[in-house]
Amino acid sequence: MVRGCAPNRGPDQGPHGSGRPGGSARQRRGRKIITGLKKQGFLTAQGKNIVPTDRGFALFGVLKRADPALVDPDVTAELWSACSTMC
């Protein structure tokens, strides 16, 4: 079974299969981050996809010039992994 997926969820397990309404703490934190980026105009919804706006691409460029590690997916994965063991 893929982590976070629960094909036989009961009515009390929430929509994300964590056993908690609203999903796991990591899922809720991720949704909160995405919501904040949308409110600030960095992301927008296109159908079922979340895509960066021109403002989001500009932020990406600024962060990449400041420190490429800030936009490196491998570094992000390591940070999330470290956070999940501490939180």
Side-chain angles (χ1 to χ4, degrees), residues 1-7 9 16-18 27:
M1 179 185 296
V2 176
R3 183 176 170 174
C5 295
R9 288 190 293 258
H16 304 287
S18 67
Q27 290 167 328

Side-chain angles (χ1 to χ4, degrees), residues 24-34 80 83-84 87:
S24 69
R26 179 182 280 188
Q27 290 167 328
R28 290 189 304 272
R29 189 169 43 247
R31 282 193 303 276
K32 187 175 181 179
I33 291 168
I34 296 296
W80 276 102
C83 179
S84 70
C87 298

Side-chain angles (χ1 to χ4, degrees), residues 33-43 53 55-56 59:
I33 291 168
I34 296 296
T35 299
L37 291 170
K38 284 180 178 178
K39 285 181 181 179
Q40 295 175 66
F42 295 115
L43 297 175
T53 62
R55 183 177 176 157
L59 175 62

